[in-house]
C-alpha cells in the first residue's frame, strides 16, 4: 500500500498503467511536477528537514508547492498551517525536539502548505496512542472539510471505517475488494486476508 503512495507521488517508477488527475497522466511526471499538479503526500515515518525549525519546514513546502511564493509570504502561510494543525506553540522549535504526534502533524502541515487538491496519507496514525489517534481523525476530517480529496493508507480499522466514503483493499498488490466501508469489511476475501478468516 505504501508502494502505491510512492508510485502516485513519483517517488517510485511504475511498471505499467496510468494515473490520471484532471486529465493529466501523472506517471509521465517527476515528483516535483506531480506536486505542482496539486498532489501532496505524507510519509509513514516523518521526514522533516532535521536542521530546521517547524516553521521553516512548513515555509519551504509553501515556497515550492503548486505556486511559487516569497520567503515573507511563506512565513505567514507557515504560521497559518501550524495554527491549523495545533503546532503554533512549537513553531520555533527544532524538529528534533518534537514528539511523534507533533512530527506527524508537521507532516500534515508541510503537505497542506503545498496547497494540494489531492492529499495522500501514508499510515499517518502509525505509532500513535488512542487519544492521539482520535485527535488525528478529527484533524483529517477538518482537512477534508476544506475541499481536499484524501487517499488514506491505514491499518487502524476504526479510523478507516470512520473516515472513508469508499474503501479499496489490496492484498499482495492486487485489488480484492472495493466499495462502501461496511460492505467491504464483510467481504469474505477481505476477512480471510486481513482478519484471520473470522467474519465481522
Amino acid at each position: 500500500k505504501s508502494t502505491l503512495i510512492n508510485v502516485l507521488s513519483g517517488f517510485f517508477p511504475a511498471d505499467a498503467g496510468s494515473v490520471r488527475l484532471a486529465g493529466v497522466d501523472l506517471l509521465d511526471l517527476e515528483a516535483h511536477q506531480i506536486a505542482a499538479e496539486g498532489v501532496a503526500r505524507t510519509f509513514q515515518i516523518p521526514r522533516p528537514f532535521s536542521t530546521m525549525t517547524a516553521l521553516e519546514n512548513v515555509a519551504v513546502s509553501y515556497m515550492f508547492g503548486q505556486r511559487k511564493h516569497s520567503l515573507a509570504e511563506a512565513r505567514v502561510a507557515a504560521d497559518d498551517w501550524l495554527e491549523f494543525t495545533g503546532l503554533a506553540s512549537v513553531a520555533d522549535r527544532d524538529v528534533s525536539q518534537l514528539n511523534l504526534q507533533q512530527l506527524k502533524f508537521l507532516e500534515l502541515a508541510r503537505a497542506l502548505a503545498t496547497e494540494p487538491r489531492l492529499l495522500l496519507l501514508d499510515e499517518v496514525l502509525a505509532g500513535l496512542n488512542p487519544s492521539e489517534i482520535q485527535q488525528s481523525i478529527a484533524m483529517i476530517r477538518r482537512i477534508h472539510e476544506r475541499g481536499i480529496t484524501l487517499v488514506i493508507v491505514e491499518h487502524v480499522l476504526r479510523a478507516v471505517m470512520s473516515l472513508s466514503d469508499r474503501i479499496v483493499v489490496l492484498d499482495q498488490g492486487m485489488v480484492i475488494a472495493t466499495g462502501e466501508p461496511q460492505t467491504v469489511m464483510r467481504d469474505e476475501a477481505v476477512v480471510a486476508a486481513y482478519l484471520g478468516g473470522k467474519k465481522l
Side-chain angles (χ1 to χ4, degrees), residues 168-184:
V168 178
V169 181
L170 300 177
D171 185 33
Q172 303 297 317
M174 301 294 293
V175 175
I176 61 171
T178 182
E180 295 181 352
Q182 291 294 340
T183 302
V184 168

Side-chain angles (χ1 to χ4, degrees), residues 13 68 73 77 85 106 108 155:
K68 302 301 179 261
E73 292 171 327
T85 52
L106 181 62
L108 289 173
H155 290 278

Side-chain angles (χ1 to χ4, degrees), residues 4-23:
L4 175 63
I5 294 284
N6 285 327
V7 170
L8 295 177
S9 57
F11 282 79
F12 287 177
D15 296 327
S18 64
V19 176
R20 304 190 74 81
L21 178 66

Side-chain angles (χ1 to χ4, degrees), residues 7 14 25 35 50 79 87 92-93 109 129 132 146 174 176 183:
V7 170
D25 191 345
S50 59
D79 276 330
L87 297 176
D92 295 322
R93 287 191 197 171
N129 65 40
E132 291 168 341
R146 297 178 72 96
M174 301 294 293
I176 61 171
T183 302

Side-chain angles (χ1 to χ4, degrees), residues 91-111:
D92 295 322
R93 287 191 197 171
D94 291 337
V95 294
S96 61
Q97 299 175 348
L98 304 185
N99 63 35
L100 179 60
Q101 183 189 26
Q102 290 169 332
L103 288 171
K104 295 269 189 177
F105 278 24
L106 181 62
E107 281 280 295
L108 289 173
R110 292 173 65 204

Side-chain angles (χ1 to χ4, degrees), residues 34-64:
I34 292 173
E37 290 294 330
V39 180
R41 57 89 49 91
T42 65
F43 290 89
Q44 181 178 349
I45 299 172
R47 293 184 172 185
F49 297 110
S50 59
T51 59
M52 295 182 179
T53 65
L55 186 141
E56 289 167 342
N57 264 271
V58 180
V60 166
S61 295
Y62 186 72
M63 289 175 70
F64 298 101

Side-chain angles (χ1 to χ4, degrees), residues 5 40-42 108 111 119-124 140 143 150-154:
I5 294 284
R41 57 89 49 91
T42 65
L108 289 173
L119 178 56
L120 311 172
L121 301 180
D122 190 6
E123 297 197 38
V124 72
I140 292 167
I143 292 169
L150 300 171
V151 173
I152 305 170
V153 170
E154 189 53 66

